[in-house]
Amino acid sequence: MSNLLDDLVAETKVVVAMLAPLEDSAWELPTPASGWAIRDQVSHLAYFDEAALLSLDDPEKFQSDAGALSAYGDSFPDEVAKKYHDVTPAKLLEWLKQARSDLVSAFTGIDARQRLKWYGPDMSAASSLTARLMETWAHGVDIADTLALQIVPTNRLRHIAHLGFNTREFSYTLRNLQIPKEAVRVELGAPDGSIWNFGPQEAKEVVVASALDFCLVVTQRRNISETKITTSGPISSEWMHIAQAYAGAVGPGRETQASLADQGGSK
């Protein structure tokens, strides 16, 4: 938990550093997520930080709010974004920083195994923090892409890669697809030059990638055709084409960067 909290704080600083120098007009720039400007990426992070905190502090209230939000169907993230369109960039940035600070304080010292409600299956406190880290990094990628900033990989990606591996079955269930019985091994080149291995060594289905490419694909921030990911068989290939490490509706996947440039932003 301590490691997760430290890494979450570090990833938050990366996002805040991108946002802090921006003129108000830049917050309206369209990001690669269809219909979302930078402002929407920020309100999304702050809103669901507060939701994670509510899940910890008041599970019944969280379930009530989650039920109301689910009434919007698959478009509920867009409805959340619309709700905060009139909030100024300065207030959005302050909201993000305060919501993240409150979250970190509340999760400090709690049992990593404590079960928490969420918008799908319950999860452990450790998984909840991992999800917040994943969301922070993924939406940070969208902001960086919008501002034409370089994405610098760090070993914090290990949390996201582990989540991406653990959500393999979820990616199938989300699409009402039969979960393959074959095991898959994942071998990732880490930013520090080491190798991260997930899955049984004897598995014949293997995904080989850099940690950055793998995390970009499982968070649907890059089209797999624009990565150097290799797969050894049909099962591992299929998974990489439907991988989704985040809860919610089925993601449509990310179009190529060339297509995004032509369209001015699309999921």
Side-chain angles (χ1 to χ4, degrees):
M1 287 293 280
S2 178
N3 187 315
L4 271 170
L5 287 163
D6 288 346
D7 284 353
L8 182 60
V9 169
E11 204 62 49
T12 304
K13 290 179 179 179
V14 173
V15 173
V16 170
M18 290 190 288
L19 297 170
L22 298 181
E23 298 288 341
D24 284 4
S25 58
W27 287 67
E28 308 302 330
L29 291 172
T31 68
S34 180
W36 280 27
I38 287 177
R39 62 161 44 256
D40 303 310
Q41 302 277 353
V42 176
S43 65
H44 179 90
L45 287 174
Y47 180 91
F48 287 103
D49 269 12
E50 290 189 342
L53 180 57
L54 184 63
S55 179
L56 175 65
D57 289 344
D58 191 343
E60 290 185 2
K61 179 66 164 59
F62 170 81
Q63 284 189 288
S64 176
D65 289 357
L69 201 58
S70 67
Y72 291 110
D74 292 349
S75 66
F76 77 88
D78 295 324
E79 295 301 322
V80 170
K82 289 177 186 177
K83 185 177 179 180
Y84 299 100
H85 274 179
D86 294 332
V87 180
T88 66
K91 288 183 177 180
L92 285 172
L93 182 55
E94 185 57 35
W95 182 24
L96 173 64
K97 292 191 290 186
Q98 188 62 57
R100 183 53 54 86
S101 176
D102 291 345
L103 181 76
V104 169
S105 294
F107 275 72
T108 298
I110 70 171
D111 188 341
R113 298 165 295 181
Q114 181 175 337
R115 303 303 295 178
L116 301 174
K117 300 293 183 184
W118 199 238
Y119 303 90
D122 293 357
M123 62 173 68
S124 68
S127 293
S128 180
L129 282 182
T130 303
R132 299 318 304 145
L133 176 60
M134 177 271 294
E135 286 257 311
T136 303
W137 180 80
H139 290 283
V141 168
D142 286 343
I143 294 169
D145 286 346
T146 303
L147 300 173
L149 299 175
Q150 183 181 5
I151 302 167
V152 180
T154 71
N155 273 19
R156 295 190 294 273
L157 289 177
R158 186 178 181 90
H159 303 296
I160 302 167
H162 192 218
L163 180 64
F165 175 77
N166 283 343
T167 51
R168 178 184 166 224
E169 291 188 1
F170 170 75
S171 299
Y172 283 85
T173 302
L174 197 58
R175 291 162 176 77
N176 295 315
L177 297 174
Q178 184 174 353
I179 300 170
K181 295 180 180 179
E182 294 86 344
V184 177
R185 186 172 80 255
V186 175
E187 300 176 356
L188 303 179
D192 66 1
S194 63
I195 301 296
W196 298 339
N197 291 293
F198 304 99
Q201 187 65 32
E202 68 275 11
K204 295 181 180 179
E205 293 279 349
V206 184
V207 175
V208 178
S210 68
L212 178 59
D213 276 353
F214 182 77
C215 290
L216 286 168
V217 168
V218 298
T219 59
Q220 299 193 355
R221 261 53 193 183
R222 285 293 183 276
N223 187 294
I224 190 172
S225 68
E226 295 183 311
T227 71
K228 296 181 180 179
I229 291 176
T230 62
T231 56
S232 66
I235 303 301
S236 52
S237 176
E238 178 185 52
W239 172 37
M240 284 293 91
H241 281 84
I242 66 169
Q244 180 171 326
Y246 55 89
V250 174
R254 186 57 59 88
E255 295 187 38
T256 64
Q257 294 296 95
S259 295
L260 288 171
D262 290 342
Q263 298 173 24
S266 176
K267 286 185 180 177

